[in-house]
Amino acid sequence: MASNNLDRLGPNGFARPRAQSLSSLRILQSSDSIPLITQWDTPDQSRHEEPQTISTLPPAKDQRAGYQTARHPPPANPSPANPSPPPAESTGMAPNSSSTAPQTATGRSSPTQTWEEWKSWKIGWPWLSFLLVVTVSLVLVIAALDVVSRRNSGFVRLSDPPAFFTHNPALERAIWSQGILYTALPAFFMTVYRTMWESSVTAFADRQPYVDLKRHGGRPLRSTIMLDYKAEPYLYGWVQALRNSHLLLAACMLCSVVLTLLVVPLASFLFTTASFASNTTLPLSFETSFNSNILGEYPLFPELRLPLDSAAAMHIQDASRPPWTDGEYAFPKFIPVADVGDGNITLETTAYSARSDCVYIQESQYRKTVLKPGDTGIPALMIQIDADDRGCQISHAIDIRLTREAPNNILRIWATMSCSADAGWSRFSILTAHHTGTSTEVTNFSLISCKPSYWIAPGTLVATAGSISAPSLKDFAPHPSNTSQFRPDALWRFFEMGIQDPGCFDPLSNVASNEFGRYMYKIAYKKNPVSPLLPGAIIDAAQTLFTTTFAVFASTALFKPTSSPLDGTGVYSVEETRLIVVSPIAYIILGVLSVVAILNISLFFYTRQKSMLSEEPVGLLSIAWILHDSVVNTMVADLAKGSNFNGKTKEPAMRNDQKIPQHYYFDKNDGTIRSSTPPQPSSVSRFRPRTSNNPLLLRSYRRSAPGNSSNV
């Protein structure tokens, strides 16, 4: 009968009969037979429905040793259908003891005996809650630090290194100065967090095959008995999860990759250092004030040689400036009332300066009279100059010695004090020339006229303060709108004529001039060593030397101590090195952590899925219990019998599954893994009988039939 009715395989791996009406087939089942043919009442009936039997066959014999192909060999003495329990004395327990669980023919407990589902603590709500708290805390902390950093110019001051670092400068430079602490710590914390997140994602990935086996209708081979995400490459394991329709798991695995490759490296650059000024109001005391009425009776005049020498040294030899002058302005002396450390003091003050507006007068714009030795009878060249400079008449006569011992470069300077008020009151003029030996030819002849002026300039002064030293001037920015010109009556004549008085005989010098002219030539030579007598170079040198000389003279001689110091205020600024948050990197990390937090919340619902696990699948013993009496063992046994078996099971199983796709599921009735044919795309093919010549699939289908506890 079986040979006449077997045509094609049914959905559970059993043979379908040839019949006009599939819904009318019924098969009787006896206590000593196994089901062979099943029928489906309706197209919507579940594929896992218990088959109804219409015929029985005797158990087949094992060809290898003459045993029945049963998961357990038949007992030597068959027992009745309802055997009585063993005597109490044979087991040491009472006959009605609850510790004795009835067993099915497969060796597992009866359907009435259930086991508690096992779940890893890494997917439990306590661990997921802790992970969510850590994620949200990281987001809040980074966001708060970024806000504080932008508002307060950093969120913490980088203080001096600890004392134990000072004894080892190399260690201090390696760890503290180079910022290893604030660069390594964020990366370390982010690595620990990534490890925590990865542990949960890995636990969910390991559990996923057992969840799919527990689903109604089962799942394909690739997402159940052949699924192992740990064997997938780490970088694109999430792609395989997408192919298996495990969308949430794929998103979690992708976030793990992003945390590893992007967030952890960027965390090293989350913090950096920057210098900021911390400002506080500081009371000041001004101890000197400007006083131009200092000229007494001759010879009690102030000395101008020292200010002139100091000004020349500042520009020629780059000497340091005297106190309370920056080389252009002179300032009143002030001291902080309160003790301060190293920092800057910014204050509003009034400075004094002098300028010389020098111009080059073309030879065609003045009258020059030259008298040669034949005209005067002396070995010298006499030159008379008469010119008009911006409304002021200047006139002067100079002589140039025509001897071999005479210097080649001539700079003659004279003052004119007869200018009108509209013309600027005074001038000092410069005549330059160059000659060689006894020749009467003169080259580089030029006339320069300078118009002195004196200024009061209110502005903002920045000085450097020290704990043990007086403030040192750093920078001054005058307010042009408040700057005014003044002319101290008792001072300007003395200063303009006095700076030309110092002279020195230097037989080695090649410049014939007074000290002011020699310093002027040296400054011009420093800036233009090729042609120091050019009008432009002389004009720059004259203006610079005149201004600096007056600034030094005013700071040392014109500012006098006051009887009652004036009170003032300034702003004390301390340059602090502070840690700041690099906002672009913070935004990237916050974006990734926000996505992780959302996925973490979703995992609370994801972990509610049921799985077939009753213990942790660790070691061969646990895996053997999961596969005990399952269709997987039958499949492997049949693969091992094949003539082409080479010790590999995955590839043959995939080839067989491609021919006749199967779904694998966990049968809760007897606690084993079984297989079934999935629904076909159309109703015609769904109910069309199919045959299979594959003994592996035929045997596995028969053994996986629901309710079948016998061996085929």
Side-chain angles (χ1 to χ4, degrees):
M1 178 181 177
S3 62
N4 296 330
N5 290 334
L6 285 177
D7 184 16
R8 295 189 179 181
L9 294 179
N12 291 324
F14 301 98
R16 269 184 190 167
R18 297 182 182 271
Q20 298 296 329
S21 176
L22 295 175
S23 62
S24 62
L25 294 179
R26 297 287 175 177
I27 300 176
L28 300 177
Q29 181 179 5
S30 62
S31 61
D32 57 349
S33 62
I34 60 173
L36 181 61
I37 302 175
T38 61
Q39 67 92 28
W40 295 264
D41 290 335
T42 63
D44 297 333
Q45 188 172 351
S46 173
R47 299 298 183 188
H48 311 299
E49 182 181 1
E50 292 294 332
Q52 299 177 2
T53 3
I54 63 174
S55 177
T56 61
L57 288 175
K61 299 295 184 178
D62 194 330
Q63 298 177 0
R64 291 174 294 179
Y67 292 99
Q68 292 179 333
T69 56
R71 298 179 183 177
H72 299 281
N77 298 321
S79 58
N82 297 320
S84 60
E89 58 270 20
S90 64
T91 60
M93 300 176 63
N96 298 329
S97 174
S98 60
S99 301
T100 304
Q103 301 292 320
T104 65
T106 62
R108 292 185 183 258
S109 298
S110 64
T112 60
Q113 178 69 26
T114 59
W115 297 284
E116 182 181 357
E117 180 190 3
W118 176 85
K119 285 186 179 181
S120 173
W121 61 270
K122 300 174 186 176
I123 65 173
W125 70 265
W127 177 253
L128 292 179
S129 300
F130 174 73
L131 196 59
L132 180 61
V133 170
V134 172
T135 306
V136 174
S137 300
L138 287 175
V139 171
L140 295 179
V141 169
I142 295 176
L145 289 178
D146 181 62
V147 172
V148 173
S149 177
R150 286 187 283 106
R151 290 183 178 179
N152 301 333
S153 300
F155 61 91
V156 67
R157 182 174 65 90
L158 193 64
S159 59
D160 296 332
F164 62 87
F165 278 145
T166 59
H167 301 292
N168 193 335
L171 184 63
E172 187 270 336
R173 288 192 301 269
I175 295 180
W176 191 265
S177 299
Q178 297 183 7
I180 293 181
L181 287 180
Y182 59 81
T183 55
L185 283 180
F188 170 75
F189 289 137
M190 201 58 65
T191 302
V192 173
Y193 169 75
R194 184 208 64 84
T195 304
M196 296 165 55
W197 170 256
E198 183 69 23
S199 66
S200 291
V201 175
T202 303
F204 276 106
D206 294 343
R207 183 175 180 262
Q208 190 60 46
Y210 306 102
V211 172
D212 283 3
L213 285 169
K214 192 66 179 290
R215 294 181 186 274
H216 179 72
R219 288 296 183 268
L221 182 76
R222 69 175 185 272
S223 63
T224 53
I225 63 174
M226 290 195 65
L227 178 61
D228 187 2
Y229 283 120
K230 289 187 295 186
E232 299 293 335
Y234 178 75
L235 293 181
Y236 52 90
W238 59 275
V239 177
Q240 186 64 29
L242 282 178
R243 294 174 180 173
N244 295 332
S245 299
H246 301 149
L247 303 183
L248 180 59
L249 184 59
C252 294
M253 296 171 70
L254 178 59
C255 281
S256 296
V257 175
V258 173
L259 285 173
T260 302
L261 301 183
L262 181 64
V263 174
V264 172
L266 286 181
S268 300
F269 304 95
L270 180 60
F271 303 138
T272 188
T273 58
S275 296
F276 299 95
S278 176
N279 300 326
T280 56
T281 302
L282 179 69
L284 302 174
S285 176
F286 292 87
E287 297 186 340
T288 61
S289 62
F290 185 82
N291 183 9
S292 60
N293 298 319
I294 61 170
L295 298 180
E297 296 294 334
Y298 183 83
L300 300 178
F301 290 168
E303 177 64 44
L304 290 179
R305 175 180 286 276
L306 183 59
L308 180 61
D309 292 343
S310 298
M314 291 168 56
H315 294 288
I316 298 173
Q317 301 175 344
D318 297 325
S320 59
R321 302 188 301 263
W324 308 112
T325 180
D326 62 352
E328 183 178 359
Y329 297 92
F331 304 93
K333 179 182 178 181
F334 65 89
I335 58 173
V337 175
D339 294 335
V340 295
D342 295 336
N344 293 332
I345 300 176
T346 304
L347 67 152
E348 296 295 323
T349 188
T350 301
Y352 294 83
S353 67
R355 305 174 188 173
S356 57
D357 184 11
C358 299
V359 295
Y360 168 66
I361 302 177
Q362 298 289 336
E363 190 171 352
S364 60
Q365 298 177 357
Y366 65 90
R367 187 178 62 184
K368 178 177 67 173
T369 302
V370 179
L371 299 178
K372 297 182 178 181
D375 301 329
T376 60
I378 58 175
L381 190 65
M382 305 292 296
I383 300 176
Q384 176 68 34
I385 299 295
D386 296 290
D388 179 273
D389 175 28
R390 290 163 285 184
C392 179
Q393 297 296 323
I394 56 176
S395 179
H396 192 68
I398 63 172
D399 62 285
I400 301 175
R401 292 186 301 163
L402 301 177
T403 61
R404 297 184 182 275
E405 296 80 12
N408 296 331
N409 301 309
I410 296 92
L411 276 86
R412 297 297 172 86
I413 306 171
W414 69 95
T416 302
M417 301 296 171
S418 58
C419 299
S420 64
D422 295 336
W425 298 101
S426 63
R427 297 288 188 276
F428 71 91
S429 303
I430 306 169
L431 189 147
T432 65
H434 177 80
H435 83 96
T436 304
T438 58
S439 174
T440 57
E441 298 295 330
V442 177
T443 60
N444 291 73
F445 190 89
S446 60
L447 176 63
I448 299 171
S449 180
C450 300
K451 177 183 177 182
S453 59
Y454 304 87
W455 299 85
I456 300 176
T460 302
L461 175 65
V462 179
T464 301
S467 57
I468 59 175
S469 60
S472 175
L473 305 183
K474 185 177 182 181
D475 183 51
F476 178 71
H479 303 321
S481 59
N482 297 330
T483 301
S484 60
Q485 186 175 357
F486 81 109
R487 180 167 289 270
D489 294 336
L491 183 64
W492 64 272
R493 292 176 181 273
F494 165 77
F495 179 76
E496 293 175 17
M497 297 181 66
I499 60 175
Q500 301 177 35
D501 290 340
C504 178
F505 176 74
D506 185 2
L508 300 179
S509 176
N510 64 343
V511 178
S513 182
N514 55 18
E515 288 293 278
F516 186 79
R518 286 193 178 125
Y519 289 148
M520 188 189 310
Y521 178 84
K522 291 180 180 180
I523 295 174
Y525 183 84
K526 183 179 180 181
K527 295 181 179 180
N528 189 359
V530 177
S531 302
L533 291 180
L534 287 178
I538 296 298
I539 288 175
D540 291 341
Q543 294 179 156
T544 299
L545 185 59
F546 183 84
T547 298
T548 303
T549 302
F550 180 83
V552 174
F553 174 63
S555 63
T556 56
L558 301 183
F559 278 95
K560 296 297 183 179
T562 59
S563 57
S564 58
L566 301 177
D567 296 331
T569 58
V571 177
Y572 177 65
S573 303
V574 178
E575 291 289 333
E576 292 183 343
T577 301
R578 297 175 63 85
L579 282 180
I580 64 172
V581 176
V582 182
S583 295
I585 295 179
Y587 297 153
I588 295 175
I589 296 177
L590 288 176
V592 175
L593 292 181
S594 299
V595 174
V596 172
I598 296 174
L599 294 177
N600 197 341
I601 296 174
S602 302
L603 291 180
F604 283 99
F605 302 94
Y606 199 64
T607 191
R608 297 172 62 183
Q609 299 179 106
K610 299 297 182 181
S611 73
M612 60 168 288
L613 294 175
S614 59
E615 69 171 342
E616 184 177 5
V618 176
L620 295 178
L621 186 61
S622 299
I623 301 300
W625 165 245
I626 293 173
L627 300 179
H628 179 60
D629 280 328
S630 69
V631 71
V632 181
N633 284 344
T634 306
M635 180 190 302
V636 174
D638 291 335
L639 287 174
K641 294 177 184 178
S643 59
N644 297 327
F645 182 69
N646 59 354
K648 299 179 181 179
T649 58
K650 294 190 296 182
E651 295 180 0
M654 290 297 295
R655 288 195 298 267
N656 292 333
D657 189 72
Q658 291 175 359
K659 295 178 181 179
I660 305 179
Q662 292 288 297
H663 277 194
Y664 294 84
Y665 65 95
F666 176 74
D667 191 342
K668 63 180 179 181
N669 293 327
D670 60 0
T672 60
I673 299 175
R674 296 193 176 190
S675 65
S676 64
T677 303
Q680 301 302 316
S682 63
S683 59
V684 176
S685 61
R686 174 179 297 182
F687 298 105
R688 180 179 300 168
R690 301 190 307 174
T691 59
S692 174
N693 297 325
N694 191 330
L696 167 63
L697 295 176
L698 178 60
R699 183 177 181 184
S700 62
Y701 296 160
R702 289 177 177 175
R703 298 197 60 174
S704 63
N708 179 22
S709 60
S710 302
N711 298 317
V712 180

